[in-house]
Amino acid sequence: MHRKPHSSVEHMVEDVSTIHSLPMFYSQLSEAIDHPRSSIGDIAKIISEDQGLTARILKLANSPLFGYFSKIDTITQAVTIIGVLQVRDLALAISVMDVFKGIPEELVNMEQFWKHSIATGLAARILATSQRESNLERFFVAGILHDIGRLVMYVRVPGICLELLEQCRATDALLHRAEREKFGFDHADVGGALLKKWKIPPRVAEPVGGHHDCRLGDQYPRESSILHLADIIAHALQLGHSGEIFVPELDKGVWDRLQISCYFLPTLVKQVDSTYEQTVSVLFGSEDASQ
């Protein structure tokens, strides 16, 4: 057994979490939010130092995704109206999209990868709304981050990942199952471990880690279930592409737990479609959101 460099999930993320680390401002932002004497102005100042991030957060806050009635012109307004934790979550999602660069095209097309992730985030947020959940941005962010473990694996063991991709294309197999057979864990486990290492709150990290096996979501079972279903919807709609060739199987327990009416699905699809292109153009910082 030649498993040394990838013998555990921890081995897989230990170097990656340093090389591909979150920008310094994110830890400064978290510290400011957790500090009892911090004001909204202090928090807004930290975010505003990154002009690109500021522009994208404001565009997102003014997009149909949020549906606020008044225009949000400043980060201070965004923090006040959307909420401190919600803006931190959005800042996290936008920052992570810039962390992984230089992964070979033969492994993944990064634009298509993030488009699938955005579609999953939108579906998760809409599902969470229908479930009357609070702090909807954590669902959007979990959706954007749900396949980040796959990027870690592409960085860490690209040769093996390429073999698995080719094997799944040849045998019509699901990639996440092939990962588990090869390593004893899959990209969801790796993503959850990376987010934990980055000190991302469990309300986001745990659903990411359990989105292919919701039984792992012991603290946040509803969040894991929503993310699991959102991923399947994004695959079924063929919005973007993360490496998985087929639509992953639905865990029947998720359907039972969420008690979603099948009559709601056309509404959900319509809502994802109506917000997808603009959300993609905002997060990519461009006007081109074509598939």
Side-chain angles (χ1 to χ4, degrees), residues 180 189 206 209-220 224:
R180 190 164 285 284
D189 298 313
E206 189 184 284
H211 76 269
H212 283 302
D213 185 354
C214 298
R215 291 169 301 179
L216 300 174
D218 50 345
Q219 251 191 304
Y220 296 94
S224 299

Side-chain angles (χ1 to χ4, degrees), residues 56-93:
R56 285 195 277 180
I57 287 178
L58 290 176
K59 275 187 186 171
L60 207 52
N62 287 302
S63 75
L65 179 64
F66 288 92
Y68 291 112
F69 298 109
S70 56
K71 192 169 188 303
I72 297 172
D73 295 310
T74 65
I75 285 293
T76 305
Q77 273 183 302
V79 172
T80 307
I81 294 169
I82 300 173
V84 172
L85 296 178
Q86 288 83 339
V87 169
R88 177 177 69 176
D89 284 348
L90 292 176
L92 168 65

Side-chain angles (χ1 to χ4, degrees), residues 9-242:
V9 175
E10 287 69 32
H11 276 127
M12 194 69 84
V13 300
E14 64 186 353
D15 297 337
V16 176
S17 62
T18 314
I19 299 162
H20 297 272
S21 59
L22 285 174
M24 181 67 77
F25 97 89
Y26 185 78
S27 53
Q28 291 173 340
L29 184 59
S30 289
E31 278 170 30
I33 287 169
D34 294 337
H35 197 286
R37 289 198 194 134
S38 286
S39 66
I40 282 176
D42 296 330
I43 292 160
K45 187 171 180 288
I46 293 167
I47 298 170
S48 299
E49 282 170 11
D50 185 325
Q51 290 180 343
L53 178 72
T54 299
R56 285 195 277 180
I57 287 178
L58 290 176
K59 275 187 186 171
L60 207 52
N62 287 302
S63 75
L65 179 64
F66 288 92
Y68 291 112
F69 298 109
S70 56
K71 192 169 188 303
I72 297 172
D73 295 310
T74 65
I75 285 293
T76 305
Q77 273 183 302
V79 172
T80 307
I81 294 169
I82 300 173
V84 172
L85 296 178
Q86 288 83 339
V87 169
R88 177 177 69 176
D89 284 348
L90 292 176
L92 168 65
I94 293 166
S95 304
V96 168
M97 288 179 69
D98 296 328
V99 166
F100 288 88
K101 303 261 185 198
I103 297 175
E105 182 84 16
E106 61 184 0
L107 282 167
V108 66
N109 175 305
M110 291 302 285
E111 185 173 322
Q112 291 300 316
F113 177 90
W114 289 120
K115 283 182 174 182
H116 167 72
S117 302
I118 290 165
T120 303
L122 290 171
R125 192 183 191 277
I126 293 160
L127 279 166
T129 306
S130 76
Q131 295 280 306
R132 295 184 170 80
E133 292 286 345
S134 59
N135 184 358
L136 299 171
E137 278 31 89
R138 65 198 162 112
F139 293 93
F140 179 61
V141 173
I144 287 182
L145 302 178
H146 79 287
D147 275 343
I148 196 170
R150 199 157 264 161
L151 299 182
V152 173
M153 294 169 92
Y154 291 156
V155 166
R156 202 81 162 83
V157 283
I160 297 171
C161 287
L162 190 57
E163 279 172 35
L164 289 178
L165 283 164
E166 287 167 354
Q167 174 193 316
C168 289
R169 284 187 197 116
T171 60
D172 292 349
L174 283 164
L175 184 55
H176 77 90
R177 282 189 178 164
E179 291 165 356
R180 190 164 285 284
E181 279 170 29
K182 182 74 178 176
F183 300 112
F185 51 83
D186 64 17
H187 67 276
D189 298 313
V190 175
L194 178 70
L195 295 182
K196 212 169 161 187
K197 195 117 177 159
W198 276 349
K199 296 185 170 59
I200 302 305
R203 66 200 159 83
V204 170
E206 189 184 284
V208 166
H211 76 269
H212 283 302
D213 185 354
C214 298
R215 291 169 301 179
L216 300 174
D218 50 345
Q219 251 191 304
Y220 296 94
R222 288 182 64 75
E223 286 83 346
S224 299
S225 297
I226 287 170
L227 190 55
H228 172 83
L229 184 53
D231 180 37
I232 289 170
I233 288 163
H235 276 294
L237 293 175
Q238 298 183 320
L239 296 171
H241 184 66
S242 69

